[in-house]
Amino acid sequence: MLFFIDTANLDQIKEAKDLGILDGVTTNPSLMAKEGITGKNNILKHYKNICKLVDNDVSAEVIALDFKNMIREGQELADLDENIVVKVPMTIDGIKAINWFTEHSIRTNCTLVFSAGQAILAAKAGATYLSPFVGRLDDTSWDGMALIAEISDIYEKQLYDTMILAASIRTSLHIVQAAKANADVVTCPLSAILGLFNHPLTDIGLAKFLADHNKSNG
Ligand code: E4P
């Protein structure tokens, strides 16, 4: 399972990259706004800065809701860097746009996915990545991880190439569950990645090793 970080914060991207386990970055308009990145030129410049930091896929989302402008924005984003993946919402125009991008060899990430039916449409259109939002489903008492497993089952049976990117990850446990549910990629906040390191027995064991070493070495 590939590890993406879900942020537009350059420091956090760098910290995750320095761990040596980072395979890519996802952003969305809310994450860009959180970093105070506003205005078209600044947004495009920020995507370029992220691409300079990581030599991996970077999902950059279109803002337009209509087919024509999705194509215009998507082409502009894709021209920024070869690692840009154009993120397109799961709508009728979005699916038409994904189909168009696929025909023109531009890679896509279909976002805001909440059902298996939507996952089938995105795969049919040739999406490179599919982003089902696990946490937002959990927030509404639907089982987000069950959706990942259901889509994985369908994609395997139908031999679809689209990669399942478990998104809207809230916890370290979500990461483990995404791996069990057969996600191809998980995109998560830095805190969820760092949480994977934690276990009290590791800390206790390390302290004992050090104490024993110090006792016998004076
Ligand atoms: C990533 O691609 C998604 O936009 C993101 O994971 C959504 O996460 P959230 O539900 O925490 O906003």
Side-chain angles (χ1 to χ4, degrees), residues 108-125:
T108 53
N109 175 350
C110 182
T111 189
L112 288 167
V113 170
F114 295 93
S115 77
Q118 293 177 329
I120 292 170
L121 288 171
K124 291 282 290 173

Side-chain angles (χ1 to χ4, degrees), residues 43-56:
I43 290 172
L44 295 181
K45 204 166 119 196
H46 198 71
Y47 282 134
K48 276 193 98 101
N49 287 336
I50 294 175
C51 290
K52 263 187 231 152
L53 253 186
V54 292
D55 190 21
N56 295 108

Side-chain angles (χ1 to χ4, degrees), residues 19 51 57 82 103 132 139 150 155 167 171-172 175 179 196 215:
L19 292 173
C51 290
D57 286 357
E82 63 178 14
E103 281 169 7
D139 290 345
E150 185 185 10
Y155 278 14
T171 63
S172 307
I175 299 176
L196 293 173
K215 242 186 280 166

Side-chain angles (χ1 to χ4, degrees), residues 6 26-28 30-31 59 61 87 109 111 131 133 135-136 139 165-170 187:
D6 195 25
T26 53
T27 63
N28 63 37
S30 304
L31 293 170
S59 285
E61 190 158 340
K87 210 170 171 191
N109 175 350
T111 189
S131 289
F133 278 29
R136 290 194 200 183
D139 290 345
L165 189 165
S168 185
I169 292 295
R170 305 262 194 266
T187 190

